[in-house]
Amino acid sequence: NAGVTQTPKFQVLKTGQSMTLQCAQDMNHNSMYWYRQDPGMGLRLIYYSASEGTTDKGEVPNGYNVSRLNKREFSLRLESAAPSQTSVYFCASSERARQALSYEQYFGPGTRLTVT
Amino acid sequence: QKEVEQNSGPLSVPEGAIASLNCTYSDRGSQSFFWYRQYSGKSPELIMFIYSNGDKEDGRFTAQLNKASQYVSLLIRDSQPSDSATYLCAVNMKGQGFSFIFGKGTRLLVKP
């Protein structure tokens, strides 16, 4: 049981290049998320997918697109990378807890992206 | 603008002491509250969550919630050097189960 996995772990892009960050979870969770974490800014939600077949914008969606490929996989695409997108990207998944009041999120190991 | 505020620290405590980490939130509609621990260079790891006023204990950790004061805290008893990390507070709004607002985190240092 690997939990949440992300690839790649590190990536360097030049401005204007595109790439896709991959995320997969094996916990049979319905919901998946993409966050970015910047120094002094905390975790900010980029996009989320409440269930297979649906995606919604989070706090900072500009410059990104997502695809919920199936229940396990949720990818994040940068179409034209910019230096402002240099960050650590975390994927997470969650399921509603038994008490039905909380969504316990479990995070992947992260991708460190540098855009030059 | 919904906000979650934490003191950035570092909060320095001696080994064996109680560490108290605090978090305030702006939206009274907030329903569930989470504490995550994040070691340097690693991903956030869920410690515990709370959604009812009062205390919730799990081993050395106690979460405290006061909705009237819009305040949630995490107490770590018998602090160990291995507890040195950044602690993130996250808030989930009622009716928006997929919308989490994270604080910027408090860095805790436990000195031997």
Side-chain angles (χ1 to χ4, degrees):
Chain A
N1 189 338
V4 180
T5 57
Q6 292 182 235
T7 56
K9 286 187 168 52
F10 301 93
Q11 184 71 47
V12 179
L13 292 178
K14 292 187 186 323
T15 297
Q17 287 184 319
S18 62
M19 78 161 296
T20 299
L21 281 63
Q22 306 286 352
C23 174
Q25 53 92 9
D26 62 3
M27 296 176 282
N28 202 36
H29 286 168
N30 281 307
S31 306
M32 299 185 72
Y33 311 76
W34 276 106
Y35 290 90
R36 59 178 289 174
Q37 187 174 39
D38 303 294
M41 296 296 292
L43 279 162
R44 292 183 291 170
L45 183 64
I46 305 171
Y47 271 93
Y48 67 92
S49 171
S51 60
E52 186 179 355
T54 69
T55 60
D56 284 286
K57 295 178 180 179
E59 182 185 354
V60 288
N62 291 344
Y64 306 94
N65 285 301
V66 291
S67 295
R68 184 74 183 267
L69 304 169
N70 47 54
K71 190 172 185 179
R72 290 186 64 247
E73 298 172 288
F74 189 36
S75 63
L76 178 72
R77 182 160 178 85
L78 287 70
E79 291 291 352
S80 179
S84 61
Q85 294 178 305
T86 293
S87 188
V88 180
Y89 291 85
F90 288 105
C91 177
S93 70
S94 74
E95 193 57 75
R96 188 189 289 269
R98 281 191 292 267
Q99 297 90 337
L101 284 179
S102 71
Y103 289 77
E104 300 173 41
Q105 290 193 324
Y106 296 89
F107 285 81
T111 295
R112 292 184 178 275
L113 175 66
T114 302
V115 183
T116 60
Chain B
Q1 179 77 2
K2 301 181 177 71
E3 292 184 339
V4 176
E5 300 283 347
Q6 294 181 258
N7 189 317
S8 61
L11 172 66
S12 184
V13 300
E15 184 175 356
I18 295 175
S20 178
L21 303 161
N22 304 316
C23 172
T24 59
Y25 58 95
S26 62
D27 191 337
R28 287 195 174 274
S30 301
Q31 185 173 26
S32 304
F33 307 86
F34 303 81
W35 283 101
Y36 287 84
R37 177 176 60 200
Q38 187 174 25
Y39 292 113
S40 181
K42 301 295 185 183
S43 58
E45 171 192 11
L46 180 66
I47 298 174
M48 59 192 307
F49 68 88
I50 186 169
Y51 51 82
S52 298
N53 275 327
D55 295 0
K56 179 181 179 182
E57 187 174 317
D58 184 359
R60 295 187 297 114
F61 299 98
T62 299
Q64 299 176 316
L65 175 60
N66 184 326
K67 289 187 177 180
S69 299
Q70 295 176 238
Y71 178 94
V72 58
S73 64
L74 179 70
L75 301 178
I76 306 174
R77 288 183 299 281
D78 189 24
S79 296
Q80 300 297 310
S82 58
D83 294 325
S84 297
T86 297
Y87 289 80
L88 305 174
C89 173
V91 174
N92 181 213
M93 309 300 172
K94 184 176 182 180
Q96 299 187 35
F98 311 103
S99 178
F100 291 79
I101 307 295
F102 280 82
K104 296 177 182 178
T106 297
R107 186 167 163 234
L108 173 66
L109 294 175
V110 181
K111 297 187 174 181

